[in-house]
Amino acid sequence: MTEMSYLDGNMLDGPMRELFTVDLSSATGRCENCGMTGSMASLHVYSHAPGLVARCPSCEQVMLRLVRGPDRAWLDMRGTTFLQVPMPMEQPFPGPL
Ligand SMILES: [Zn+2]
């Protein structure tokens, strides 16, 4: 009997931490609504809402919402098909082999 082994979500901490500490202004995102791909720095950000709302510069669809509470944050990226982040050359992630 073979069973696919898996690790619990805690192992994502290292890889995700590496991803979320990069400079997102150099990242590229694709709008789910119109398909435009462009730099995150080109988004139109509205800060006079309960949080930050970033809209596509082409179709004005919401691509990202970020709300920061006193002790937590919510990140909603439903309007973004993908986020491409420039990374340094591959570095092995620590963890069990
Ligand atoms: Zn768009």
Side-chain angles (χ1 to χ4, degrees), residues 1-2 8 15 17 19-21 25 41 45 52 56-57 61 77-78 80 84 94:
M1 181 181 88
T2 58
D8 72 49
R17 187 181 308 242
L19 182 61
F20 282 105
T21 55
S25 63
V45 179
L52 300 174
C56 172
Q61 180 76 22
M77 296 191 66
R78 271 178 290 180
T80 304
Q84 176 185 292

Side-chain angles (χ1 to χ4, degrees), residues 21-38:
T21 55
V22 298
D23 177 9
L24 275 185
S25 63
S26 61
T28 300
R30 181 169 195 238
C31 175
E32 183 187 49
N33 187 53
C34 74
M36 195 203 87
T37 301

Side-chain angles (χ1 to χ4, degrees), residues 1 3 7 9-10 14 17-18 30 34 37 39-40 43 47 50 53 70 73 75 79 86 88 92:
M1 181 181 88
E3 190 172 306
L7 303 169
N10 285 318
R17 187 181 308 242
E18 183 192 20
R30 181 169 195 238
C34 74
T37 301
S39 80
M40 296 301 281
L43 299 183
S47 59
V53 175
L75 176 62

Side-chain angles (χ1 to χ4, degrees), residues 65-76:
R65 296 174 189 87
L66 177 62
V67 175
R68 175 71 160 90
D71 63 346
R72 65 198 67 197
W74 291 263
L75 176 62
D76 179 343

